[in-house]
Amino acid sequence: MSTAADTIDFTAEWQAWHDAHEKNRADPHGFLAVTSLNWLDETPTRYPDAPGEWSTSAAGPVVTLSDGERIVVDGRTIAGSPDRVTYEFGVIPERGGVTVISGDAELEVARRGGADIVRPRHPSHPTRVEYAGTPVYPANRSWVAEGTFRAFDAPKPVTVGSVAEGLEHVYDSPGVIEFELGGESLSLTAFNGPTPGALFVLFTDATSGVTTYAANRSLQIDAPDASGRVTVDFNRATNLPCAYTEFATCPLPPAENRLPIGIEAGEKTPLRPTAAPHGDAR
């Protein structure tokens, strides 16, 4: 049985995590600083928030810089000239990317859904400067479930949609997490997390589109122990970048991760949601 001191410690630990998460979200070059989402093709194109002319081909993205334009890639400065200078990024793997520095901005050159993109991030962007924080449900232990990770015999590719119309993402799923919450037996298809053995899930629930962001929420889960046990703490459910910016390509949850109950825990709909639900996708 938990004591008052346990509750205080639980709440304090959650608050520290939430504060750090908010600080990271408002980073000068985080997603709140994104000013556009540009899909590259073979036609050299100039964008108002990035130097150079951008295009791509089977050999990967390239940028051509005119006199007075410069970028920094991996610590190397590439400067334009009267004769123009072209920099080749090479083939970028799916969900991979390169960070390019341009003055006080950063340009994300990446590959999403089989297409190459350039996504500038400017610290002065109003979405970041005017960010007012994300409302949350109070931390509550009742939204912590002990579950079991059931590994597949081999990872299964799972295709999911995207908030960007016409785009799809494919993730390898190592297995399913089974748990009980509110007297119901539930399960979530899991994907590989950011560290070896860790997992993450994308989900919606009965609060989605009511008090929480309609498209998705995400939850990181520590690696299972030797018996496959995991802790599913919905107090740490977070919004993905698409809840804050129209210039995102966030994945949607697989159909089986639409929970039938209301998860009144974690992050709610942002205070200043964007007006447009989708990025400039094709």
Side-chain angles (χ1 to χ4, degrees):
M1 181 176 180
S2 62
T3 65
D6 291 335
T7 299
I8 292 172
D9 289 345
F10 175 80
T11 301
E13 183 179 341
W14 173 85
Q15 188 65 57
W17 166 84
H18 177 64
D19 290 346
H21 185 71
E22 284 279 71
K23 181 178 179 181
N24 182 66
R25 174 181 284 140
D27 182 86
H29 297 108
F31 251 94
L32 299 181
V34 174
T35 52
S36 67
L37 170 59
N38 307 291
W39 301 83
L40 306 182
D41 57 26
E42 294 183 353
T43 303
T45 304
R46 182 173 291 275
Y47 304 107
D49 49 354
E53 291 184 347
W54 297 80
S55 62
T56 193
S57 67
V62 300
V63 61
T64 299
L65 302 174
S66 298
D67 193 22
E69 295 182 319
R70 66 179 58 222
I71 58 175
V72 178
V73 184
D74 293 331
R76 174 190 169 196
T77 298
I78 297 95
S81 71
D83 296 328
R84 296 158 57 93
V85 171
T86 295
Y87 180 82
E88 300 177 355
F89 290 89
V91 176
I92 296 177
E94 182 64 32
R95 290 195 289 277
V98 177
T99 298
V100 176
I101 298 173
S102 172
D104 66 351
E106 289 186 356
L107 315 177
E108 176 191 8
V109 183
R111 190 166 182 83
R112 298 292 183 268
D116 292 322
I117 65 171
V118 59
R119 187 158 40 187
R121 303 177 184 226
H122 290 261
S124 61
H125 187 46
T127 301
R128 190 192 81 83
V129 175
E130 299 172 10
Y131 178 57
T134 298
V136 292
Y137 285 100
N140 189 326
R141 283 186 182 274
S142 64
W143 293 106
V144 181
E146 298 303 320
T148 301
F149 174 66
R150 307 289 185 191
F152 297 137
D153 291 337
K156 295 182 179 181
V158 176
T159 300
V160 298
S162 167
V163 296
E165 187 176 353
L167 200 67
E168 290 185 332
H169 298 277
V170 180
Y171 292 92
D172 283 336
S173 171
V176 173
I177 296 171
E178 298 174 345
F179 59 99
E180 288 191 3
L181 198 63
E184 293 201 36
S185 296
L186 304 169
S187 67
L188 290 166
T189 294
F191 300 128
N192 294 312
T195 58
L199 306 167
F200 85 97
V201 296
L202 300 167
F203 72 96
T204 56
D205 63 274
T207 70
S208 300
V210 182
T211 57
T212 62
Y213 181 59
N216 50 31
R217 283 195 288 168
S218 177
L219 182 62
Q220 303 289 334
I221 298 169
D222 289 341
D225 68 12
S227 301
R229 291 175 297 186
V230 292
T231 297
V232 183
D233 185 356
F234 283 103
N235 294 287
R236 302 197 179 197
T238 61
N239 294 322
L240 293 178
C242 50
Y244 303 88
T245 175
E246 63 191 286
F247 305 126
T249 61
C250 300
L252 300 175
E256 63 271 21
N257 283 13
R258 297 168 185 167
L259 299 177
I261 65 173
I263 303 295
E264 296 181 342
E267 293 188 333
K268 298 182 181 181
T269 304
L271 293 173
R272 297 173 62 89
T274 54
H278 303 304
D280 178 18
R282 51 185 183 192

